[in-house]
Amino acid sequence: MLQMKKLFFVLILLANALLGKAQLQIGDMAPDIALPNTKDSIMKLSSLKGKVVLVDFWASWCAPCRGANPYILKIYKKHRANGFEVFAVSIDAKKDAWLKAIRQDKLTYTQVNENTGWYSKVAGLYFVDQLPTNFLLDQTGRIIAINIEGNELNDKLKSMLK
């Protein structure tokens, strides 16, 4: 009986260790993304290596996402000349709604979408379970921040893009 308890305890520890690593964490390399952009050309996240990249998961119907878009656009315009890019991944299921939101919000940075809604394989790969969610990547594609926004994002970019 004691052996069984020890085995059960070891299995619980092992399961917790594996489950804890399932989520992407700071220091992990970001999985590559290859999805169609607004013109149906495949855009790869890896094509932006050498730049600091904000991978931003959003949707046209997400009010907090739409509220964040003007700020992200402002940060993008401020820092893009110094090597900053935004790679926005929409989880919209309807392409028309996605394109309309891009036009309405006047978004000029990279936009991609697999048009599958919450069934998005890329959102699953990044363990996205709420919107908005973002990942800041360094020039090598390593995750250096998760869900960074506001002054914290601006300060981080200033220090990285000198």
Side-chain angles (χ1 to χ4, degrees):
M1 186 63 151
L2 183 59
Q3 290 291 13
M4 192 70 135
K5 285 183 182 181
K6 285 182 182 177
L7 179 61
F8 182 74
F9 181 73
V10 168
L11 288 174
I12 293 294
L13 287 176
L14 183 60
N16 283 338
L18 291 174
L19 289 174
K21 188 57 182 160
Q23 300 295 320
L24 291 177
Q25 299 175 7
I26 293 172
D28 290 347
M29 291 301 292
D32 200 11
I33 298 171
L35 290 175
N37 64 14
T38 58
K39 296 184 173 143
D40 294 323
S41 296
I42 299 299
M43 185 71 191
K44 287 186 161 194
L45 175 61
S46 58
S47 72
L48 300 175
K49 279 223 169 120
K51 298 181 181 242
V52 175
V53 180
L54 183 71
V55 179
D56 181 45
F57 286 87
W58 76 291
S60 65
W61 45 262
C62 168
C65 302
R66 299 293 296 275
N69 280 345
Y71 185 75
I72 293 171
L73 182 59
K74 180 180 175 184
I75 291 281
Y76 171 68
K77 286 179 177 180
K78 181 177 181 180
H79 295 287
R80 72 178 172 195
N82 295 322
F84 174 61
E85 288 292 333
V86 178
F87 192 89
V89 181
S90 168
I91 65 157
D92 278 286
K94 297 179 181 175
K95 185 176 181 179
D96 290 342
W98 170 56
L99 294 174
K100 182 179 178 184
I102 292 169
R103 281 190 308 273
Q104 286 176 337
D105 294 356
K106 298 178 174 78
L107 304 178
T108 57
Y109 45 81
T110 302
Q111 298 284 335
V112 297
N113 184 354
E114 62 188 303
N115 298 315
T116 56
W118 279 113
Y119 297 104
S120 166
K121 290 181 182 175
V122 171
L125 188 62
Y126 276 73
F127 302 95
V128 173
D129 60 2
Q130 66 182 13
L131 295 176
T133 294
N134 69 49
F135 300 84
L136 185 63
L137 313 181
D138 69 8
Q139 292 89 337
T140 68
R142 189 169 304 282
I143 298 169
I144 56 173
I146 300 172
N147 291 327
I148 188 169
E149 57 187 25
N151 290 334
E152 185 181 5
L153 173 59
N154 192 47
D155 292 345
K156 188 78 158 174
L157 290 173
K158 277 195 236 177
S159 71
M160 293 185 71
L161 297 171
K162 288 184 175 183

